[in-house]
């Protein structure tokens, strides 16, 4: 039995089997689907888990409740990694009432054909369980339209009142929970970069709604953040809120991502020249990725992290090298603002890559162009070598100027 705090229990599960989350995002350390029980005069289950994990989920619930029924299940988010067990919960607990908002229930009918026993809430509505009250805060588009969070507060009669935020995917993180549930009971080192990767790829497009949600919660003293993935935050609440604030404002650290595609090493060599020049001009944080080797989710995480981005790729089939085309398409969907952007490309017999990257930036990315793009025919010449150095230096100077 995993207790978070007075009357609140963890009943989630770990998934160490799935290779790709949503069929897209690698899970080197697995992922957890978190759900919680508030056991007061009434019992509320907050979120469920992916359907495949229903039986261990049910065992976790019964370990806490025994034969006691569940009065409410709160649905903060309808994505099936959290709503997938709703229909089965209803079968095992036929009297349970399902709490959600109007958009939640529109989706619930479509996904699970659940129509009965629904309790619709609006922003700032609340339900009292006994000494604890659940307050519902609608946070649309973090990162689906129906998303909401639930604040669990205690009555004034409780001596040491604690406030728990059930935050849905917000403040979530890739990585299974290896025993401990609360941050202060584990080494969190491996979670920070994975939290950034989770945010960048899953929530990253919705910076403005995240900012609105943070404003709605500003001023609330929160003791625990219970998200639907990863650790329960207690010791590091300030850190994770600051991280969300920074990422959702698209604020970046000084630093440079150089990402390239290469077939026979000529474009890669240009990337090395650019990196050397940027380093010699004073940029300390430089990360380099071969776009065909590093999964794009890690590259996108680094583009969220650093201010500068230089990409380069060969021409292929008289177009842009496919992996780079896909990466730029993915980046264009994230609405990342204010990045400094340089580019280069190569060709053997038909020049296209440089023009295509320029087109991506003009039409979709809209990053700030820096330096002169470099176009390399077949292999580096002394002239294009010097142009690569100039591009690296130009980016470095701009990064230093912006601090
Ligand atoms: Fe973890 Fe948006 O689902």
């Amino acid at each position: 039995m995993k207790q978070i705090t007075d009357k609140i229990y963890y009943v989630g599960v770990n998934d160490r089997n799935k290779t790709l989350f949503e069929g897209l995002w690698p899970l080197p350390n697995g992922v957890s689907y978190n759900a919680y029980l508030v056991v007061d005069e009434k019992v509320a289950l907050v979120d469920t888990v992916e359907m495949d994990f229903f039986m261990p989920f049910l065992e976790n619930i019964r370990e806490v409740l025994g034969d006691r029924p569940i009065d409410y299940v709160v649905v903060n988010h309808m994505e099936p990694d959290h709503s997938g067990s709703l229909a089965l919960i209803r079968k095992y607990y036929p009297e349970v009432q399902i709490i959600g908002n109007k958009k939640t229930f529109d989706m619930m009918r479509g996904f699970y054909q659940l129509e009965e026993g629904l309790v619709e809430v609006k922003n700032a509505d609340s339900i009292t369980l006994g000494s604890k009250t659940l307050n519902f805060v609608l946070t649309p588009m973090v990162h689906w339209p129906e998303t909401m969070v639930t604040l669990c507060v205690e009555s004034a009669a409780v001596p040491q009142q604690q406030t728990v935020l059930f935050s849905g995917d917000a403040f979530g993180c890739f990585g299974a929970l290896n025993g401990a549930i609360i941050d202060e009971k584990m080494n969190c080192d491996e979670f920070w970069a994975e939290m950034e990767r989770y945010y960048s790829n899953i929530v990253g497009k919705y910076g403005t709604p995240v900012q609105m949600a943070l404003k709605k919660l500003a001023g609330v003293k929160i003791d625990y953040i219970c998200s639907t993935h990863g650790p329960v935050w207690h010791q590091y609440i300030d850190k994770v809120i600051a991280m969300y604030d920074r990422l959702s404002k698209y604020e970046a650290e000084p630093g440079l991502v150089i990402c390239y595609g290469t077939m026979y090493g000529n474009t890669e060599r240009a990337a090395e020249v650019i990196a050397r020049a940027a380093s010699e001009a004073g940029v300390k944080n430089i990360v380099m990725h071969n776009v065909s080797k590093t999964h794009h989710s890690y590259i996108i995480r680094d583009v969220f992290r650093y201010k500068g981005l230089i990409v380069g790729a060969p021409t292929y089939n008289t177009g842009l090298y496919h992996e780079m085309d896909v990466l730029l398409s993915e980046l264009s969907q994230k609405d990342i603002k204010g990045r400094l952007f340089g580019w280069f490309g190569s060709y053997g017999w038909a020049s296209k890559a440089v023009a295509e990257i320029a087109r991506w930036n003009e039409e979709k990315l809209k990053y700030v162009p820096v330096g002169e793009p470099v176009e390399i025919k077949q292999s580096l010449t002394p002239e294009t070598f010097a142009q690569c150095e100039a591009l690296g230096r130009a980016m470095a100077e701009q990064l230093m100027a912006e601090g």
Side-chain angles (χ1 to χ4, degrees):
M1 192 178 300
K2 294 161 183 167
Q3 185 161 9
I4 306 294
T5 185
D6 183 45
K7 299 178 182 169
I8 296 181
Y9 298 85
Y10 180 86
V11 290
V13 298
N14 287 305
D15 184 348
R16 297 188 182 84
N17 308 322
K18 191 177 269 103
T19 306
L20 295 174
F21 187 75
E22 299 180 341
L24 292 168
W25 318 113
L27 293 172
N29 307 317
V31 67
S32 68
Y33 310 120
N34 299 344
Y36 305 90
L37 279 172
V38 184
V39 185
D40 206 332
E41 291 166 28
K42 299 271 190 186
V43 173
L45 173 64
V46 183
D47 294 307
T48 74
V49 302
E50 196 169 290
M51 184 166 47
D52 291 353
F53 292 83
F54 179 73
M55 288 316 295
F57 175 49
L58 182 64
E59 285 166 16
N60 291 345
I61 291 171
R62 285 179 166 164
E63 191 183 341
V64 177
L65 293 182
D67 293 332
R68 196 174 165 187
I70 299 172
D71 298 285
Y72 302 109
V73 53
V74 177
V75 182
N76 281 325
H77 181 28
M78 269 302 294
E79 201 159 6
D81 50 337
H82 311 298
S83 67
S85 291
L86 275 175
L88 286 166
I89 282 287
R90 172 51 71 67
K91 281 207 186 315
Y92 280 78
Y93 296 93
E95 303 302 321
V96 72
Q97 293 192 287
I98 302 176
I99 297 174
N101 59 67
K102 185 175 184 307
K103 288 178 179 161
T104 316
F105 295 144
D106 289 343
M107 291 184 176
M108 203 174 291
R109 288 183 193 97
F111 276 116
Y112 308 116
Q113 295 75 52
L114 288 169
E115 302 271 2
E116 307 291 324
L118 309 183
V119 179
E120 185 177 317
V121 294
K122 297 186 179 61
N123 187 56
D125 281 354
S126 60
I127 287 180
T128 297
L129 304 175
S131 66
K132 292 185 186 288
T133 296
L134 302 179
N135 295 328
F136 306 103
V137 181
L138 271 57
T139 55
M141 295 316 303
V142 180
H143 58 130
W144 274 28
E146 87 301 354
T147 46
M148 63 183 201
V149 300
T150 301
L151 271 168
C152 181
V153 300
E154 293 187 298
S155 80
V158 175
Q160 287 186 317
Q161 294 175 334
Q162 296 211 305
T163 298
V164 175
L165 173 66
F166 296 107
S167 63
D169 279 344
F171 309 107
C173 187
F174 293 132
L177 297 173
N178 300 327
I181 304 298
I182 302 175
D183 57 4
E184 65 186 359
K185 302 268 178 66
M186 67 178 81
N187 182 339
C188 290
D189 289 353
E190 74 174 30
F191 286 106
W192 302 125
E194 284 296 79
M195 190 168 176
E196 280 187 294
R197 188 166 69 95
Y198 179 89
Y199 178 90
S200 307
N201 289 279
I202 308 290
V203 189
K205 180 178 175 64
Y206 305 101
T208 302
V210 170
Q211 277 292 309
M212 290 168 68
L214 289 173
K215 285 189 174 67
K216 277 187 178 177
L217 295 168
V220 180
K221 182 189 163 297
I222 297 167
D223 297 286
Y224 294 89
I225 295 178
C226 297
S227 90
T228 44
H229 300 289
V232 166
W233 303 114
H234 178 55
Q235 178 182 358
Y236 291 116
I237 284 179
D238 290 346
K239 177 169 178 160
V240 299
I241 290 178
M243 183 189 288
Y244 257 60
D245 189 40
R246 171 175 60 82
L247 290 169
S248 59
K249 288 176 179 163
Y250 302 97
E251 289 177 356
E253 302 171 27
L256 174 59
V257 182
I258 300 174
C259 182
Y260 61 90
T262 195
M263 289 190 284
Y264 302 106
N266 290 300
T267 320
E268 184 172 51
R269 185 153 178 254
E272 297 283 7
V273 174
I274 292 166
R276 181 78 55 86
S279 169
E280 287 173 355
V283 182
K284 287 186 177 165
N285 295 317
I286 300 176
V287 291
M288 298 183 71
H289 294 293
N290 181 329
V291 72
S292 303
K293 179 162 185 283
T294 306
H295 190 275
H296 294 184
S297 62
Y298 295 88
I299 302 170
I300 291 168
R301 177 200 63 194
D302 287 344
V303 176
F304 267 82
R305 187 181 289 171
Y306 292 123
K307 182 86 174 175
L309 172 63
I310 296 178
V311 303
T315 301
Y316 198 89
N317 280 341
T318 64
L320 179 59
Y321 189 68
H322 175 76
E323 284 292 330
M324 182 58 72
D325 204 44
V326 173
L327 175 71
L328 297 180
S329 170
E330 290 171 339
L331 281 171
S332 75
Q333 295 165 21
K334 301 301 181 196
D335 289 343
I336 304 169
K337 295 168 180 54
R339 293 301 179 270
L340 306 176
F341 189 58
W343 64 98
F344 61 104
S346 63
Y347 66 99
W349 48 270
S351 164
K352 196 70 178 178
V354 166
E356 281 298 295
I357 296 171
R359 190 177 62 79
W360 268 113
N361 194 45
E362 282 164 22
E363 294 180 4
K364 299 284 187 183
L365 298 169
K366 302 188 187 301
Y367 300 152
V368 179
V370 171
E372 288 296 319
V374 183
E375 182 158 61
I376 300 146
K377 182 178 181 185
Q378 291 146 0
S379 68
L380 280 176
T381 62
E383 186 184 9
T384 51
F385 190 103
Q387 290 171 358
C388 287
E389 289 184 312
L391 177 57
R393 276 196 302 271
M395 178 60 79
E397 285 162 11
Q398 193 72 27
L399 285 169
M400 311 298 250
E402 300 207 1

